Amino acid sequence: MKKLLLLTIISTLASSAWSQKEGNTWYFGTNAGISFNSSPPTALTNGQLTMREGSSSISDKNGNLLFYTDGQSVYDNTHTLMSNGTGLLGSGSACQSGLIVPWPDSIYKYFLVSVDAIENNATNGVRYSVVDMRLNGGKGDIVSIQKNVVLIKPQCEKVTLAVNFNRKDFWIITNQSSSDSILSFAVTSTGINKNAVRSNTGLNLSGNLNNNLGYLNISSDDSKLASCHFQLNKVLVMDFDNKTGKISNVKTLTKASPYCAEFSPNSKVLYVSGLRLPTSIDQFDLTSGTQNLIQSSKKQIFDYGSGEMGALKLG
């Protein structure tokens, strides 16, 4: 059974989209990690990451760690840098700096998506590299001729992953910077289609670069997206069609300095963390119906007090 794990850190962790145990081991923060291969989960302290924001990890179908990244470097399952695992053009300061996507119909290859930060004006954009687990004696490495391939630039500090309706392929989803566009890139056995499916939210992010800050997350049933916009005090909740990659039925919720939104396991409740005062976690009942009713269902469930509240992730 999946549970909502409330993390008072800032981290993008492994996707909950996997059908087996691929998301069972997380590494994030400063040498921190969690293993869901035990009950209760086990804290890990042997990670090599030292960062405040995004990271991503992937295990095999049995829950054995394969590799993890902060969008800049990649570590194998022995916590050693892959020989070609540095020089990625993401940023550990991006909200969601890295995303790992299995290559459909392959048991060896993965796409490693890296995301740049607004401190760099998101100049490097969203890029991908290919990790082949047959390299380096089975510990994996980045394929030299498939490294830092551009998908879109510039962009928001957001990227998430949805499972396609066919339950085999995927969608890589991001927000385009200084626009109201959501872009969905189809991932199939032939690779990533760079011709994105474009949808519009109606919330233009032009102006202050902080308008682009915040997480973009998908619900467990791949039917809903939530996008946080810290500077604007807004959270967009929208329907996602995992057949076409399009969004619809956009609703705008308000919360002070929203940083991350995560859905409950049944996709009926949305939890939103506030980065700065008030650093609280609020919940919204998505079954309430209209935008106004969902907004009025807002209920504070946790108050962190001072400091900064980080990300939420379904575990």
Side-chain angles (χ1 to χ4, degrees), residues 4-232:
L4 186 73
L5 181 67
L6 305 182
L7 297 175
T8 54
I9 56 165
I10 304 175
S11 182
T12 305
L13 303 171
S15 169
S16 59
W18 320 123
S19 59
Q20 300 185 61
K21 298 180 180 180
E22 290 89 343
N24 269 25
T25 305
W26 298 359
Y27 281 99
F28 52 88
T30 302
N31 310 119
I34 299 174
S35 172
F36 291 93
N37 289 319
S38 61
S39 182
T42 303
L44 304 174
T45 58
N46 58 348
Q48 296 303 301
L49 300 181
T50 304
M51 31 68 71
R52 282 173 52 82
E53 298 196 64
S55 66
S56 189
S57 310
I58 187 74
S59 299
D60 63 20
K61 65 181 182 180
N62 297 314
N64 300 308
L65 177 68
L66 293 177
F67 59 94
Y68 56 98
T69 182
D70 59 1
Q72 298 171 297
S73 303
V74 194
Y75 294 86
D76 65 25
N77 62 0
T78 68
H79 308 286
T80 303
L81 275 171
M82 292 182 178
S83 61
N84 194 27
T86 59
L88 298 180
L89 297 179
S91 171
S93 184
C95 297
Q96 293 173 280
S97 65
L99 179 70
I100 299 169
V101 185
W103 190 310
D105 291 337
S106 173
I107 61 174
Y108 302 109
K109 294 191 293 184
Y110 297 83
F111 297 102
L112 194 164
V113 181
S114 56
V115 180
D116 202 2
I118 64 168
E119 289 92 331
N120 306 323
N121 294 316
T123 302
N124 290 321
V126 176
R127 298 173 181 250
Y128 73 86
S129 303
V130 175
V131 175
D132 191 328
M133 294 305 299
R134 292 171 292 188
L135 301 177
N136 193 27
K139 292 177 182 170
D141 205 351
I142 290 178
V143 180
S144 295
I145 61 173
Q146 293 177 296
K147 186 175 182 179
N148 289 324
V149 181
V150 176
L151 276 182
I152 182 70
K153 61 179 185 176
Q155 87 305 321
C156 299
E157 293 186 0
K158 308 171 188 291
V159 66
T160 193
L161 182 67
V163 180
N164 190 290
F165 179 79
N166 64 20
R167 310 311 296 173
K168 179 182 71 172
D169 300 327
F170 299 93
W171 295 100
I172 296 170
I173 310 166
T174 187
N175 288 66
Q176 189 168 16
S177 178
S178 301
S179 76
D180 73 337
S181 295
I182 296 257
L183 305 177
S184 301
F185 296 90
V187 184
T188 69
S189 60
T190 61
I192 300 176
N193 186 345
K194 295 183 183 180
N195 295 316
V197 176
R198 184 181 296 270
S199 305
N200 300 103
T201 66
L203 180 66
N204 195 298
L205 304 180
S206 298
N208 192 322
L209 282 174
N210 285 332
N211 294 344
N212 301 299
L213 282 178
Y215 270 62
L216 175 70
N217 273 330
I218 190 80
S219 61
S220 290
D221 62 2
D222 302 292
S223 70
K224 297 180 180 66
L225 283 169
S227 181
C228 290
H229 300 279
F230 160 75
Q231 185 72 19
L232 299 173

Side-chain angles (χ1 to χ4, degrees), residues 267-281:
S267 306
K268 294 180 179 180
V269 178
L270 186 70
Y271 300 89
V272 185
S273 63
L275 179 62
R276 294 173 186 156
L277 292 173
T279 50
S280 63
I281 297 174

